[in-house]
Amino acid sequence: IIERPGSSNRVISTTLAGIATKIHVLPGQLVRPGDELFQLRLVSDYLQNTQAQLYKTARDLQINADEQQRLKGVSDSQSLFKGKLLDLGYEERRLLAALDTYRQDLLTRGLTVEDINQVIAGKFLAEFIVRVPRKQDDDKLVYEMEELKVLLGELGQAGQVLGYLANHQALDVEGKAFEQESALLHRAAREN
């Protein structure tokens, strides 16, 4: 009996640099997709700067929208305000593109949409939860924490392996046979 290559074992790594402050699961315990595995206190300057830029861009967009609203009432009367309103529209497009860029960057680093919305509201992320990964239609899967590769207080870098999960709900049978038995093996496989 052997594990299925590519489906029985799963590596758990982090997309963000941080110090392990909690380990929620010990070797031998069972977990399901979405369960918490590790909590990391974030130490990445890059991540903090990206959060700050996202917040600043969101505030600049709000200021731009307020200024456009203020000028819309008077733009019919003087062409000077019409030009300013046009400039604000161009600036709004630039800010929206920057906002989308920062959002996408944070999403690729493992933050959720809820995390990003909190950053936009001014609450920066200081801790990050590493969870059992989810895929479509995998809620029935159960994993066992096979091995931890991180200790409490240890600094984990982005991409570092934190642990190994195993799913032994489906295994394969491996065997060896002689060449003259191949016809029997093909027949057994055909007939299930």
Side-chain angles (χ1 to χ4, degrees):
I1 305 293
I2 62 166
E3 295 176 335
R4 289 186 169 182
S7 66
S8 292
N9 294 324
R10 179 169 235 155
V11 172
I12 299 298
S13 59
T14 178
T15 56
L16 303 168
I19 297 171
T21 57
K22 286 186 185 173
I23 297 174
H24 296 279
V25 181
L26 299 175
Q29 288 184 302
L30 300 179
V31 292
R32 296 185 180 278
D35 286 355
E36 294 181 357
L37 297 174
F38 306 98
Q39 184 169 329
L40 304 176
R41 186 177 61 228
L42 300 174
V43 296
S44 168
D45 288 338
Y46 177 81
L47 180 68
Q48 296 305 327
N49 289 336
T50 303
Q51 289 184 86
Q53 289 299 323
L54 176 67
Y55 175 75
K56 181 185 178 308
T57 303
R59 296 292 69 77
D60 288 346
L61 260 172
Q62 185 59 51
I63 291 167
N64 181 292
D66 292 347
E67 184 67 8
Q68 283 189 53
Q69 188 63 36
R70 186 182 72 79
L71 291 177
K72 280 184 181 174
V74 293
S75 65
D76 292 335
S77 60
Q78 298 179 8
S79 63
L80 173 69
F81 291 129
K82 286 183 182 179
K84 177 69 173 167
L85 200 54
L86 191 61
D87 289 343
L88 286 170
Y90 294 142
E91 177 71 8
E92 178 184 28
R93 284 193 229 153
R94 187 188 65 71
L95 289 169
L96 284 171
L99 190 76
D100 287 343
T101 301
Y102 295 130
R103 260 195 192 124
Q104 191 59 41
D105 187 19
L106 294 174
L107 283 171
T108 59
R109 296 189 185 278
L111 274 68
T112 65
V113 172
E114 293 145 359
D115 293 335
I116 292 169
N117 288 337
Q118 284 185 3
V119 171
I120 290 172
K123 184 179 178 193
F124 289 16
L125 193 64
E127 303 236 327
F128 181 71
I129 303 291
V130 178
R131 299 177 183 276
V132 178
R134 285 188 181 274
K135 296 187 304 186
Q136 286 183 334
D137 303 327
D138 71 350
D139 288 336
K140 296 177 185 153
L141 292 179
V142 177
Y143 294 96
E144 174 191 349
M145 175 58 79
E146 273 196 329
E147 183 181 357
L148 292 176
K149 298 300 269 183
V150 68
L151 302 172
L152 278 177
E154 185 176 353
L155 173 64
Q157 297 299 326
Q160 180 178 333
V161 174
L162 302 177
Y164 294 100
L165 297 178
N167 172 2
H168 294 132
Q169 291 172 301
L171 299 169
D172 285 341
V173 176
E174 180 181 63
K176 298 183 180 187
F178 293 104
E179 187 177 343
Q180 62 267 24
E181 296 169 335
S182 65
L184 293 172
L185 291 173
H186 285 294
R187 180 175 161 213
R190 252 191 340 263
E191 294 176 6
N192 227 5

